[in-house]
Amino acid sequence: MNRLFIVVICLTGWLLTACSSSPKPSEAPEPEVRQVLVLAEEGTPHQGFCDATRAWLDGLKDTLNIQTTWVADLKEMPAGEIDKYQLVVHLNYPPYAWSEASQQDFMRYIDEGRGSYIGFHHASLLGDIFDGYSMWQWFSDFMGSIRWENYIETLTDGTVHVEDAQHPIMKGVPSSFVVPKDEWYTYTTNPRDHAHVLATVDEDSYVPQSDIRMGDHPVIWVNENKKARNVYFQFGHDQELYQLDAFKQMFRNAIEWCLKDNE
């Protein structure tokens, strides 16, 4: 009996030691914070939109697991630094004013799919008529081979109709919605011929009415010919956009869609 008791005690001790020394299930690592570069020129008529965007993005940092870095001029960034960002959000800062080094960095970033891109409003301000700058042909092609022609200077409401409701950017977005107080650009060529259109504006819905028109007028599109995921929103002039649930839904969808490609 004593020998059996000793054997049981030894076995129990061995089992306890084995259990305590066995590796515990590893905890899931914290997801890596995604880095977002925001291009936002300061002191322009779009300052209200930029400030509202900053507040909105700050409110979503934890939910979307992102960290934003704001830059007013790409010349401030050393060559190659753009590669550390998984997403570039282009709020204004017209592309024709970029330095040659900034242009080369950005072209490589997009063409090689090193990150992704969301552009607004001024990103399609392309042509040979702005402040003496020459046309940046690569960016024109990136934007759907467009060339800026005209715009409605008076801030105007317009009804936008979703064309591709199945695209991830349009998830949870109504089939139509009114964009308030914006400038509507027209182009010499239609981006539809070179990009995938997600939504158009109904020019008959303008309030106040305007004779500046394109006919078929895309206002949201993606360029599927580029390696980097990308989307362009033609509106983005006024902070009142953040009163529009459809806009905030599309912007959030766009961020999630762009970053998913870079996980």
Side-chain angles (χ1 to χ4, degrees):
M1 177 66 72
N2 290 340
R3 183 177 297 177
L4 179 60
F5 178 76
I6 292 171
V7 170
V8 171
I9 292 297
C10 290
L11 286 174
T12 301
W14 177 82
L15 287 172
L16 289 173
T17 301
C19 290
S20 62
S21 63
S22 61
K24 296 179 181 179
S26 59
E27 295 181 358
E30 290 290 329
E32 184 178 356
V33 176
R34 280 82 59 88
Q35 300 297 320
V36 178
L37 176 66
V38 185
L39 305 181
E41 192 176 20
E42 297 177 352
T44 76
H46 308 106
Q47 190 66 52
F49 176 69
C50 293
D51 292 343
T53 301
R54 185 189 289 269
W56 184 76
L57 287 174
D58 284 347
L60 285 176
K61 280 183 179 179
D62 293 338
T63 303
L64 297 179
N65 195 33
I66 60 174
Q67 180 175 334
T68 56
T69 299
W70 288 67
V71 175
D73 187 336
L74 278 181
K75 292 191 288 292
E76 300 171 2
M77 291 181 57
E81 188 170 330
I82 194 173
D83 291 345
K84 77 179 188 181
Y85 298 99
Q86 286 79 54
L87 171 63
V88 172
V89 176
H90 185 181
L91 295 185
N92 53 6
Y93 186 43
Y96 62 79
W98 297 11
S99 68
E100 184 175 348
S102 298
Q103 292 180 8
Q104 292 298 324
D105 248 10
F106 185 77
M107 287 189 288
R108 179 179 51 79
Y109 181 83
I110 297 296
D111 287 339
E112 296 179 7
R114 293 177 176 267
S116 49
Y117 172 86
I118 301 172
F120 292 95
H121 203 43
H122 259 196
S124 69
L125 201 60
L126 296 152
D128 298 310
I129 62 175
F130 303 107
D131 303 326
Y133 290 93
S134 60
M135 182 72 166
W136 181 5
Q137 190 58 52
W138 180 92
F139 207 103
S140 172
D141 294 341
F142 176 46
M143 286 284 107
S145 298
I146 58 173
R147 183 179 292 261
W148 188 93
E149 182 176 44
N150 206 345
Y151 77 118
I152 301 174
E153 184 174 0
T154 303
L155 295 184
T156 300
D157 297 352
T159 299
V160 170
H161 294 280
V162 174
E163 188 167 304
D164 183 359
Q166 301 307 310
H167 195 281
I169 290 174
M170 294 302 170
K171 182 180 179 181
V173 177
S175 59
S176 65
F177 50 88
V178 176
V179 170
K181 296 176 61 176
D182 224 290
E183 298 173 330
W184 302 92
Y185 296 167
T186 63
Y187 311 104
T188 58
T189 56
N190 195 317
R192 184 181 297 280
D193 298 331
H194 302 279
H196 177 55
V197 174
L198 303 186
T200 59
V201 65
D202 178 2
E203 296 176 329
D204 289 332
S205 73
Y206 287 154
V207 178
Q209 285 288 304
S210 174
D211 294 330
I212 300 173
R213 299 182 172 219
M214 275 184 63
D216 173 28
H217 194 156
V219 291
I220 307 173
W221 62 82
V222 298
N223 185 342
E224 296 175 335
N225 299 310
K226 292 297 183 182
K227 196 168 182 180
R229 279 193 175 177
N230 62 86
V231 59
Y232 171 69
F233 297 89
Q234 189 184 94
F235 34 87
H237 183 87
D238 192 86
Q239 63 264 33
E240 283 197 23
L241 267 173
Y242 284 94
Q243 303 299 317
L244 180 62
D245 289 339
F247 171 72
K248 291 183 288 186
Q249 184 67 56
M250 289 186 296
F251 195 178
R252 176 169 176 166
N253 288 347
I255 293 171
E256 293 177 334
W257 176 68
C258 284
L259 290 176
K260 185 177 181 181
D261 195 43
N262 293 286
E263 290 178 346

